[in-house]
Amino acid sequence: MSTAAVLSRSKGAKAGGGAGGRPVGLPSLTGLRWTAALMVFLYHVYVVEYLGGRSQGLVAAAFGAGNTGVSFFFVLSGFVLAWSTAVTPTGRGIVRFWRRRFARVYPLHLVTACAALLLMWLPGAGEKPTAGPVAANLALVQSWVPEVRYFQGLNPVSWSLAAEAFFYLAFPLLVRPLRRLGWRGSVAVAAVCLAAVVALPAWMELSGLPDGTIWSNYFFPLYRLPEFVLGMACAELVRAGRWRGPGLPVAVALTLGGYFLGSQTDYAFHAAACTIVGYTALIAAAAQADLRGEPSPWRGRLSVRLGEVSFAFYMVHILVIRTGENLFGGHPKLGLSNGGPLVLAAAFSVSLALAWALHSWVEVPGRRLLLRSRRRGTTSAS
């Protein structure tokens, strides 16, 4: 995931920088992170079937495409990294960039992976993990292996971190040529990436790849790379003052339209193809609203605070949901009259409480510790 605080160190008014190149915050993007994380949570509530009967039907209609929140995160991650990296990293700067990204995501990943491992050894938890998937998960390469026990091993949602790790490695190699192309080149790159996201599912079905496996058209990091690069290109257009997309109201309408279209299509298409236009427009429009001081529903203090804990919420929520499933001995399928809403509220509350604790006691101090230890080492060596 991207950093909670989205900053630009750009110089000049077109780039959205303040006087003297002071950092400019984009709080709406932080608030939007919470909305995407909540979508994924409700999607997993639907998949695990916490509710049954008519209630499950309503959840399916509303959140059957909630996993597209991951696509939103990928586009947002590309946008944020390009926006916040005003100086193109080179040499040691690339290593520093990679170190900061590692410090940002790995402490929380390690703790939640260990928690998942412990939960798997509880009575009735099902199949126990083997060394290969555990090692791949800890090394953040699990999404490169087309076996469910790998890309869905331990903490299932961490597959997206394997994709993000790949994006982080590629970012310094991608951002330099992108910026050399200028804003017209960014338009071309964005168009190619957009076309790729829309066309890839159809191509993979026509190519006869193993049944259009969900690994090849959802979990495979290379398959998701165009979403990340699209975010980068859009950030460069906003930075250059060349973004000509719609404002927030139209962007929200495009997002909702694509989202509900996605819920009606095959899995391969609703993963990103239906929502990519709306999500991209929404991210850029929210950034523009912050830069211009225009109204935004995601800029409030609570929304931003929830956005700051959204990574921890995303990483822990499936463990809470699966633990509840284990306690019920299977899919709960509860109705409105026998505690369904209460169980759902409990799962959400526990997930949010744990996310707050993990953010405060693992994510933030872990990042500080890793970066502080490096700074001390550099000082002593010099």
Side-chain angles (χ1 to χ4, degrees), residues 12-365:
K14 285 187 177 181
R22 287 194 298 269
V24 173
L26 300 179
S28 291
L29 298 192
T30 302
L32 277 168
R33 283 164 49 86
W34 169 251
T35 302
L38 185 60
M39 285 168 51
V40 178
F41 169 83
L42 291 167
Y43 169 77
H44 285 134
V45 167
Y46 151 69
V47 169
V48 179
E49 295 182 299
Y50 261 48
L51 301 178
R54 182 176 298 179
S55 299
Q56 174 68 356
L58 293 175
V59 173
F63 302 107
N67 62 335
T68 60
V70 178
S71 177
F72 183 92
F73 283 135
F74 288 157
V75 179
L76 180 63
S77 181
F79 189 101
V80 168
L81 286 182
W83 180 259
S84 60
T85 309
V87 179
T88 306
T90 58
R92 292 183 179 179
I94 294 177
V95 177
R96 286 194 295 270
F97 169 82
W98 287 335
R99 184 180 297 114
R100 287 196 299 270
R101 301 320 303 161
F102 177 83
R104 171 71 179 87
V105 303
Y106 203 79
L108 195 52
H109 168 61
L110 180 61
V111 169
T112 52
C114 291
L117 195 59
L118 289 173
L119 290 172
M120 286 181 174
W121 287 97
L122 292 176
E127 184 179 353
K128 307 309 178 191
T130 56
V134 171
N137 187 280
L138 293 177
L140 288 177
V141 296
Q142 69 272 35
S143 294
W144 294 92
V145 184
E147 295 182 34
V148 174
R149 65 194 182 99
Y150 276 83
F151 62 78
Q152 287 285 272
L154 286 188
N155 187 2
V157 299
S158 66
W159 75 266
S160 64
L161 284 191
E164 286 281 4
F166 169 61
F167 302 159
Y168 296 160
L169 285 173
F171 176 80
L173 308 178
L174 295 171
V175 70
R176 175 173 289 273
L178 178 64
R179 287 177 174 170
R180 284 178 176 173
L181 289 173
W183 71 266
R184 290 182 177 85
S186 293
V187 171
V189 169
V192 170
C193 290
L194 187 62
V197 174
V198 173
L200 271 173
W203 175 80
M204 296 190 81
E205 285 198 354
L206 293 173
S207 67
L209 288 175
D211 301 325
T213 61
I214 61 170
W215 171 77
S216 61
N217 57 31
Y218 189 82
F219 297 98
F220 186 35
L222 273 176
Y223 184 87
R224 309 308 296 258
L225 182 62
E227 297 158 68
F228 177 79
V229 178
L230 176 60
M232 292 176 58
C234 289
E236 292 302 304
L237 290 173
V238 173
R239 183 194 301 279
R242 296 288 183 170
W243 175 259
R244 297 295 181 266
L248 267 181
V250 175
V252 170
L254 287 172
T255 297
L256 292 176
Y259 179 85
F260 286 107
L261 176 64
S263 66
Q264 308 302 314
T265 61
D266 293 339
Y267 189 87
F269 289 91
H270 91 229
C274 294
T275 54
I276 190 66
V277 171
Y279 286 168
T280 303
L282 181 60
I283 289 168
Q288 292 276 51
D290 284 348
L291 292 173
R292 296 169 178 172
E294 298 171 350
S296 166
W298 296 283
R299 199 184 296 139
R301 181 178 298 178
L302 178 60
S303 182
V304 171
R305 182 55 179 156
L306 288 170
E308 290 171 350
V309 303
S310 61
F311 177 40
F313 182 83
Y314 174 80
M315 292 297 292
V316 79
H317 80 274
I318 192 62
L319 301 182
V320 174
I321 290 174
R322 290 296 188 187
T323 300
E325 179 187 22
N326 184 49
L327 292 174
F328 277 96
H331 296 324
K333 296 184 179 181
L334 301 172
L336 295 178
S337 60
N338 60 344
L342 290 176
V343 172
L344 179 57
F348 172 79
S349 300
V350 171
S351 297
L352 183 58
L354 288 174
W356 220 283
L358 287 169
H359 174 75
S360 301
W361 301 334
V362 175
E363 183 182 353
V364 173

